[in-house]
């Protein structure tokens, strides 16, 4: 289900794929899973906002040999485009995974990952520059050593003309 009115757009979907469903040559369809997506988006004069939420679970037939895994994701995105030469974007995303009904001797899963990303671009004539930074924190609530932090910074200078395009990128990750 999707649609929109004026500056607003929405999408909602639900899917259920049975345990024995397989597609030859397409490993992208995950069997034994159900869930859905809710998404809304709005564009204003020079601003845009996007929000989405997904939730899926597997082991639909409660097979005692496997744990049930529930995964969810929430995302909020903001874009500032009032100045066409200097667009700005900010994004926050939270991903969670948790297991239920684990078989004997199977460790429980409870992981949450928060990611914040920002990007800034400048385009004037044939020259362009982009800067992106992100910070991610993974919190594994079941293992003491499973937590981690990741920082990434990237610079994207570019030159584009009718005869030549050059677009190197430089990145730092820690």
């Amino acid at each position: 289900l999707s649609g929109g009115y004026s500056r607003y757009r929405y999408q909602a979907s639900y899917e259920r794929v049975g345990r024995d469903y397989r597609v030859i040559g397409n490993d992208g369809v995950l069997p034994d899973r159900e869930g859905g997506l809710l998404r809304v988006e709005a564009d204003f004069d020079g601003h845009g906002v996007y929000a989405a939420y997904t939730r899926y679970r597997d082991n639909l037939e409660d097979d005692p040999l496997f744990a049930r895994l529930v995964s969810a994701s929430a995302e909020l995105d903001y874009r500032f485009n009032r100045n066409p030469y200097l667009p700005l974007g900010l994004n926050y995303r939270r991903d969670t995974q948790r297991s239920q009904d684990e078989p004997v001797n199977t460790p429980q899963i409870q992981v949450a990952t928060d990611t914040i990303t920002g990007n800034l671009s400048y385009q004037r004539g044939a020259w362009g520059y982009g800067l992106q930074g992100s910070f991610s924190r993974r919190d594994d609530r079941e293992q003491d050593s499973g937590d981690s932090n990741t920082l990434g910074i990237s610079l994207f200078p570019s030159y584009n003309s009718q005869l030549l395009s050059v677009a190197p990128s430089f990145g730092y990750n820690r």
Side-chain angles (χ1 to χ4, degrees), residues 25-106:
N26 182 357
D27 295 332
V29 177
L30 299 174
D32 195 22
R33 181 174 123 128
E34 77 173 337
L37 158 78
L38 294 173
R39 184 172 70 189
V40 293
E41 189 171 353
D43 287 316
F44 303 100
D45 186 33
H47 303 273
V49 178
Y50 163 92
Y53 178 77
T54 61
R55 185 178 187 277
Y56 287 90
R57 68 183 186 101
D58 64 5
N59 193 6
L60 302 178
E61 305 203 9
D62 295 324
D63 188 334
L65 297 176
F66 301 102
R68 172 171 281 171
L69 187 63
V70 177
S71 59
S73 176
E75 183 174 9
L76 183 61
D77 187 81
Y78 170 76
R79 296 172 314 279
F80 178 76
N81 297 320
R82 184 165 287 176
N83 183 343
Y85 301 111
L86 197 66
L88 167 74
L90 298 170
N91 180 280
Y92 171 74
R93 181 180 176 114
R94 180 174 182 87
D95 296 300
T96 60
Q97 281 190 329
R98 64 180 168 80
S99 61
Q100 302 171 332
D101 305 326
E102 297 87 1
V104 176
N105 297 326
T106 301

Side-chain angles (χ1 to χ4, degrees), residues 2-10 41-43:
S2 65
Y5 177 74
S6 183
R7 305 171 186 227
Y8 307 98
R9 287 174 297 288
Y10 64 88
E41 189 171 353
D43 287 316

Side-chain angles (χ1 to χ4, degrees), residues 84-158:
Y85 301 111
L86 197 66
L88 167 74
L90 298 170
N91 180 280
Y92 171 74
R93 181 180 176 114
R94 180 174 182 87
D95 296 300
T96 60
Q97 281 190 329
R98 64 180 168 80
S99 61
Q100 302 171 332
D101 305 326
E102 297 87 1
V104 176
N105 297 326
T106 301
Q108 187 178 26
I109 297 172
Q110 262 200 353
V111 178
T113 304
D114 295 295
T115 305
I116 298 171
T117 304
N119 57 62
L120 177 66
S121 300
Y122 177 75
Q123 186 72 40
R124 191 63 143 200
W127 292 96
Y129 305 94
L131 178 66
Q132 178 172 322
S134 65
F135 177 77
S136 179
R137 176 167 176 76
R138 181 178 191 263
D139 181 11
D140 189 337
R141 297 174 184 168
E142 296 300 319
Q143 296 181 10
D144 290 335
S145 62
D147 296 350
S148 64
N149 295 327
T150 305
L151 173 68
I153 300 172
S154 301
L155 176 65
F156 307 96
S158 65

